[in-house]
Amino acid sequence: MGRRKSTDRIDVFAEASSPLRDKIEKSRSKKGNYVLDLKVNSPASMSYLGVEGLDSAPAIVRLSKVKGLDVIAITDLYSGEFIDRMIAAAEGSPLTVIPGVSLRCRLGACDELILTCLFPESTRSADIQSFLTALDVPASAKGSSEYILTHTLDKVLHTLESFSGVAIPSRIDKTPNRMSTLGELVETYGFRGFDLAYVDSQHVFKKRWPKLKFHLFSFSDANALAQIGSRIARVRLATPGFAGIKEIIARDQQA
């Protein structure tokens, strides 16, 4: 795929895989444009603000439809517990649910690097748990922002890719400590897709790496129903699924 101008609205083309074709046809937006929020938390996160007596899974599906979302990713910290419920709730609807999980990693002097990890649609809660087990994540870390992975970033990424996953550094511009990792993430690890806290941070990428093409997003990081779809990406795809998203955020392995 040829690279395009870095922007918070990105055009990407990918072929639909046959197992997803029926759902893709149902969820296809006008002229192939899709609306994505790839950082949505669920009751599996400690910080989630639920509504008493409300079944969150179907509520998330309904609200996503109201917000005009075509694709969401469920990305709780150290937990895939809610993935199966979300996939079941979205069945028969036009919403595509991407399984995911968030991790807190170390890189250099920074111990607050957040990776949003995304997986193919066939991934289930048990698969996410197997991934976390492979990284020696204790059960006590489920949903917590305090736990920090003990493995190196190299090990984390190698393990992620062995599970067919892909990562987006999330809110990389939220603190100076996180921003201190940006050079290594781009130049050593080849990241070209980032989730930003502030849209204005795009100028940093253009100034430091004027010849590189980045895919810069700003997703909601929703911790409550009302926050879902508060920040989105509009993407032109042949398929709204994981395969197309992976093309956007895959690392440059030659970096």
Side-chain angles (χ1 to χ4, degrees), residues 39 90 94 128 153 155 181 188 192 202 206 240:
K39 192 158 178 60
I128 300 293
L153 186 59
K155 168 67 173 177
T181 68
T188 302
R192 299 293 183 264
Q202 291 185 23
K206 295 175 183 178

Side-chain angles (χ1 to χ4, degrees), residues 1-13 38 167-169 172 186 190-196 202 205-206 212-219 233-237 244-252:
M1 178 193 305
R3 289 173 175 163
R4 293 170 171 79
K5 185 177 180 181
S6 177
T7 178
D8 59 353
R9 177 167 180 164
I10 301 169
D11 291 337
V12 179
F13 299 89
L38 299 183
I168 308 175
I172 191 67
V186 171
F191 280 100
R192 299 293 183 264
F194 291 86
D195 173 34
L196 303 179
Q202 291 185 23
F205 294 82
K206 295 175 183 178
L212 295 182
K213 302 298 182 182
F214 296 96
H215 298 286
L216 306 176
F217 306 99
S218 185
F219 298 120
R234 298 183 185 275
V235 183
R236 189 165 184 257
L237 301 166
I245 292 167
K246 184 177 180 179
E247 290 193 30
I248 301 174
I249 62 176
R251 293 189 297 133
D252 183 351

Side-chain angles (χ1 to χ4, degrees), residues 145-191:
S145 61
E146 299 302 314
Y147 181 77
I148 305 168
L149 285 178
T150 57
H151 292 294
T152 65
L153 186 59
D154 292 273
K155 168 67 173 177
V156 172
L157 294 175
H158 176 76
T159 304
L160 173 64
E161 288 159 5
S162 75
F163 279 80
S164 302
V166 65
I168 308 175
S170 183
R171 299 296 192 268
I172 191 67
D173 55 335
K174 189 172 182 179
T175 68
N177 197 25
R178 291 189 194 181
M179 281 295 282
S180 70
T181 68
L182 186 57
E184 194 166 357
L185 289 173
V186 171
E187 297 170 7
T188 302
Y189 290 97
F191 280 100

